[in-house]
Amino acid sequence: MTRTIVDAPAVPRAASPVRAFRYRLSRPMPRDGLWGWLGPVIVAAVAAVLRLVDLGRPHSIIFDETYYAKDAFAQLTFGYARKFVDDADEMIIEGDLDVFADEPSFVVHPPVGKFLIGQGIRLLGMEPTGWRLATALAGVVTVFLIARAGRRLFRSTLLGCTAGLLLAVDGMAIATSRTAILDGLLAMFVVAAFACLLVDRDHSRTALATWVHSRRSAGMPLGDGPVIGWRPWRLAAGVMLGLACGTKWSGLYVVAVFGLMSVVWEISARRAAGLPSPALNTLLRDGPVAFVTTIGSALVVYVGSWWGWIFSDNSWGRGWAATNPATGLSTLIPDWLRSLWHYHDEIWRFHTNLTTEHTYESSAWTWLFLGRPVSFDYQSLEQGEAGCDVAKCSQEVLALGNPVLWWGACAALVVCLLAWFLHRDWRPGAILAGIAATWVPWLFYPERTTFAFYAAAIVPFLTLAVAYTLGLIIGPPADSPRRKAVGIAVAGAFVLVAVVVAAWFYPIHVDEVMPYDEWRKRMWFSSWI
């Protein structure tokens, strides 16, 4: 599918062969100047209001903040995680920060996310606004990035900002942004890596088109094609992927899928340029450079993220190598690296054996249709408590996606599959790669204890799928005014309904006090309670 959608520029009819060839490899970006930046900034501002206003509510440690906020505080203070006294949560809320035990703690997620949470604590103190600041800002950045990535993917500022707006108002994204957990931070790094790879795709294809044209103009054979060694955006993507893995290990799936995606893009570019054996040449000429640039940088960043653990004497497992002397070839490995490997082996054992039952656990196949959302906090209030002015009130932080967006995205994913498979449109293929990287792996762990809020990393790609489908509904500029008017009306109605529904659900994402009857109206299914 190669149809132009919305405001993407069309190839000039009288274009020179050079411009036509470059267009074939990489279409030009929209020529909308300031709006290309101002539009994403506006939707990010909407996200900022929804995430930052009353960020300290509830004034308590909720759900998994009991792990991540406290571990971030310990990591900020000592460079590694420490155990806490039994009443640490209550003491922290009361302002007593003398909560550390003199013993390291075994934690099962890498340090990057907790490092960022710790910077909010450094800035605003060890209180709810402080430990939630990093995740809230990450949510805002993710909205901005998805709007810009969507603009580049679709060559349409309108569709990019539509994806950004849908993400800005989504309840899952809001709840995870306003809670000090790792999934929103992971989503930011995943989207950043995706955006970097999109820029790299355009730049490398432009460089390839220039190289091919120069060779043909000089009457020289193309041979096996060039090796474009310096690709800073691919290097940046590797750094972002390393930070994603340094936040949660599920980032490893993203590394694998995005790596495969970029290889497919490279093969496609070489084939379009008329180079011989595009798959083999990609493997032999671009493969080694790509591996070092992307995987190498990700690995360096990931290992470097453990610097606090590496340079401490008292962190959990740091001295394992000293009490387990190396033999054979393992004597060539530094003790700190052997100890770190042992730590990772223990983390792997924890994750692969995590089958503890939980009230809010759910299988991954139920996530997209919102089968079992997670309540991060719920309080039942009587009249006169916390501003309750009726007989009974409720307040809740519920990680529930916007039903209009998520259920619409289920249909949009079918559209993307058909467009990619039948028309070989690379854009829905890229979106599906994002879905495959952030959702599909969880389907292979039906026995593991999993939660729907893990889908925070999926949401940005759902919004892109919906935006792509809305672009098809609107149609290309060449369509008749009547056809376009109908398409714009349908797409606009969808976005408007999604925003209205988001506003109606917003109080249950941000712990607002509301009459119990109003809260109950928002519980459309018993599985949401």
Side-chain angles (χ1 to χ4, degrees), residues 201-283:
R201 183 184 189 274
D202 283 347
H203 286 195
S204 64
R205 285 178 164 238
T206 299
L208 179 60
T210 301
W211 184 89
V212 169
H213 172 69
S214 66
R215 300 279 289 192
R216 286 176 174 170
S217 299
M220 301 172 63
L222 297 182
D224 292 331
V227 176
I228 305 173
W230 176 238
R231 293 170 63 165
W233 286 103
R234 188 158 64 180
L235 177 63
V239 171
M240 292 301 108
L241 291 172
L243 293 171
C245 295
T247 300
K248 291 188 77 172
W249 274 10
S250 50
L252 288 168
Y253 301 122
V254 183
V255 174
V257 174
F258 281 10
L260 179 60
M261 177 181 71
S262 62
V263 168
V264 171
W265 287 351
E266 191 71 23
I267 294 173
S268 174
R270 289 176 177 264
R271 180 180 293 114
L275 298 174
S277 304
L280 182 61
N281 280 327
T282 295
L283 178 64

Side-chain angles (χ1 to χ4, degrees), residues 13 19 24 27 32 102 128 137 163 175 190 194 209 213 254 261 280 330 332 368 440 456 466 469 474 483:
R13 293 182 180 178
R19 292 185 64 189
R24 182 185 174 193
R27 290 188 301 156
D32 49 15
D102 190 19
L137 293 177
V190 170
F194 183 74
H213 172 69
V254 183
M261 177 181 71
L280 182 61
S330 62
L332 301 176
L368 296 190
V440 172
V466 170
T469 305
I474 293 172
R483 161 69 179 81

Side-chain angles (χ1 to χ4, degrees), residues 3-8 156 158-159 467-480 483-488 491:
R3 296 204 309 166
T4 304
I5 52 178
V6 193
D7 55 347
S156 168
L158 176 61
L159 292 183
Y468 174 79
T469 305
L470 293 179
L472 296 181
I473 291 172
I474 293 172
D479 278 357
S480 68
R483 161 69 179 81
K484 287 193 68 66
V486 172
I488 291 171

